[in-house]
Amino acid sequence: MVSLKTYLAPDFIKVDRLIRKNLEPAGVLSNDLSVGLYKSGGKKLRPTLSIVAGKLGNPDRMEDVYKVSASLELLHMATLVHDDIIDDSELRRGKETAYYKYGYFQAVNTGNLLLSTAVQMVSGIEHEKFHKTYSAAIEQIVSGELLQFNHQFNENQTYDDYYEKIYRKTALLIVLSVELGSYASHLDEVTMYHLTEFAHHIGVSFQIIDDCLDFTGDESELGKPKFSDLANGHFTLPVLLKRDKDEQFKKQLTEFKNNPEILDSLIGQILESDVLEESLKISSDHYDEAIAHLSDIEQPVKGYLLEIAEKLKKRLK
C-alpha cells in the first residue's frame, strides 16, 4: 500500500488549485493574508478526511468532494484567525498572527473572507442534507467560540462544559469533514455513521492530547507559547482534574484572574501531579473507541484512516 501522501497527491493538486483560485484577486490585504496562512502549512487533516470519506462513495462525485475539501480547509483557517483574536495570540504555526501584525480589523476581515469563501465554494452541491448540516455546523462553531469566551477563567465549569467546548472547537470540524465528504459522494448511511463516530472520538482524543502538549510540548513544534491555554484562562482537562483533587489548587484557580502572578505555581502543580497521565489515558480510551468503528470499512481507506489516527497519537512521542 502506497503512503497516504502519495495516495492523495493527485486529489490535493485539485484541492490546492481550487483554494488558490478562490482566494484571488491578490493585492487585497485580507486575500494576501489568507493565502499566506494557507501556505504556512498545517496538517490538512480536515480536507484529508473529506477526500478519504469521499473515496468510499460514488467516484463520479469526486469533483464535489474536492470542493468540500477546499471549503473545509478555508473554514478551519477562519476559525484559527478568529481564535487568535479571542486569545490575543501573538504566534500561529511559529509565525506572527494576522491579528498582531496587522491589527484587529484586518484579522476580522481575513477570517470573514475565509468563512464566506468557504461557504460559496460548496453552494452548488446538491444533496438534501448537505447544506443544512454545513450551516448548522457553522452556527455551532461560532457559538463554540462564544462558549469558550464565557468559560474563560471559570473555575466552576463542569466536565460536560469542557467536552462541549472541545467538541465545538476541534471535534466538530473533524466530524463535519467526513459528513460532508460522505454527503458529496452519496455514501451509504451505515458507512457514514461509522466514519462520523470515528471522527468524533479521534477529534476528542486529538484535543485532549493538545491540552497536555500545552504543558509538555516543545514551543518550536507547538507553534505557540507553552502554557498559553492556562495563561489565557482556558481551563483544560488536566486543570479540571487537578482542581477536583486539590482544594488548595482550586482556591488558587479562583484567584488566578485577579492575580496572574500565580501562573507559575499553577503550572508547577500540574506538572508535579498525575493529571497529565490521567488525561492521556482518557484520550487513549477515545482513540480505542474511534478505531473500533473502522472494523467494517473497506480497504485501502481503512488502512489510511488507521494511519491518520496513529499519526495524531504519535504527536506525544
Side-chain angles (χ1 to χ4, degrees):
M1 190 170 73
V2 299
S3 70
L4 177 64
K5 184 177 181 179
T6 300
Y7 178 62
L8 295 182
D11 305 291
F12 265 102
I13 289 173
K14 296 180 180 180
V15 172
D16 181 74
R17 287 173 180 166
L18 276 172
I19 289 175
R20 293 175 186 273
K21 177 182 177 182
N22 280 273
L23 290 180
E24 292 178 351
V28 178
L29 182 57
S30 55
N31 287 82
D32 292 345
L33 291 176
S34 299
V35 173
L37 181 60
Y38 172 66
K39 288 180 178 179
S40 70
K43 291 176 276 297
K44 303 294 187 287
L45 172 62
R46 295 139 197 93
T48 295
L49 287 171
S50 61
I51 293 171
V52 170
K55 286 182 178 290
L56 291 169
N58 185 341
D60 294 334
R61 299 277 182 173
M62 284 306 295
E63 291 302 319
D64 280 348
V65 173
Y66 298 144
K67 292 175 184 177
V68 168
S69 181
S71 175
L72 288 171
E73 182 62 9
L74 296 187
L75 177 60
H76 175 56
M77 288 162 56
T79 66
L80 298 183
V81 173
H82 287 159
D83 276 348
D84 290 339
I85 298 169
I86 293 169
D87 294 338
D88 191 29
S89 298
E90 186 174 355
L91 295 176
R92 167 70 63 182
R93 296 171 180 168
K95 298 181 180 180
E96 195 172 22
T97 61
Y99 172 53
Y100 256 72
K101 191 170 185 177
Y102 295 101
Y104 173 83
F105 291 107
Q106 287 295 353
V108 169
N109 287 339
T110 299
N112 290 347
L113 172 69
L114 288 164
L115 176 58
S116 59
T117 305
V119 173
Q120 187 277 329
M121 289 181 75
V122 294
S123 60
I125 292 179
E126 296 180 358
H127 189 286
E128 58 182 3
K129 296 181 179 179
F130 183 95
H131 296 286
K132 184 176 181 179
T133 300
Y134 202 172
S135 60
I138 291 174
E139 187 277 330
Q140 281 191 289
I141 290 167
V142 173
S143 62
E145 290 181 344
L146 296 174
L147 182 68
Q148 177 172 287
F149 182 78
N150 289 339
H151 283 302
Q152 201 169 12
F153 295 101
N154 176 14
E155 75 280 2
N156 293 315
Q157 64 185 282
T158 66
Y159 291 102
D160 284 344
D161 293 332
Y162 167 76
Y163 282 112
E164 179 67 18
K165 185 169 60 177
I166 69 168
Y167 177 76
R168 296 189 187 199
K169 177 181 179 181
T170 300
L172 174 58
L173 260 179
I174 295 175
V175 171
L176 188 65
S177 300
V178 298
E179 278 188 319
L180 297 187
S182 298
Y183 285 143
S185 65
H186 291 224
L187 185 63
D188 68 275
E189 291 187 3
V190 173
T191 304
M192 180 178 169
Y193 165 76
H194 288 294
L195 288 179
T196 54
E197 286 298 303
F198 164 82
H200 183 176
H201 288 287
I202 279 295
V204 172
S205 176
F206 176 89
Q207 186 56 51
I208 293 174
I209 290 174
D210 257 16
D211 292 346
C212 294
L213 288 175
D214 190 56
F215 290 96
T216 62
D218 186 290
E219 287 191 4
S220 63
E221 295 180 4
L222 291 174
K224 62 177 184 178
K226 288 175 68 173
F227 317 121
S228 59
D229 286 335
L230 181 55
N232 288 318
H234 302 311
F235 299 154
T236 55
L237 185 59
V239 177
L240 298 182
L241 291 171
K242 179 63 175 172
R243 174 200 67 185
D244 292 346
K245 291 173 178 283
D246 188 330
E247 283 296 324
Q248 182 60 30
F249 182 87
K250 182 178 181 180
K251 182 179 178 182
Q252 285 187 293
L253 210 58
T254 304
E255 300 169 357
F256 179 46
K257 182 176 182 180
N258 296 318
N259 186 14
E261 289 79 12
I262 64 174
L263 175 62
D264 288 344
S265 173
L266 294 173
I267 292 169
Q269 291 176 73
I270 292 287
L271 294 176
E272 291 168 5
S273 72
D274 62 354
V275 294
L276 291 171
E277 290 80 2
E278 188 176 346
S279 297
L280 291 176
K281 173 62 170 63
I282 294 170
S283 172
S284 182
D285 290 343
H286 281 283
Y287 175 89
D288 292 341
E289 183 71 18
I291 299 306
H293 280 279
L294 297 181
S295 58
D296 294 327
I297 301 298
E298 295 178 4
Q299 294 287 10
V301 168
K302 177 180 178 179
Y304 289 123
L305 290 174
L306 288 169
E307 182 180 334
I308 291 168
E310 187 62 24
K311 283 182 178 179
L312 295 179
K313 194 174 185 181
K314 281 183 177 178
R315 289 178 306 142
L316 292 168
K317 300 179 181 179

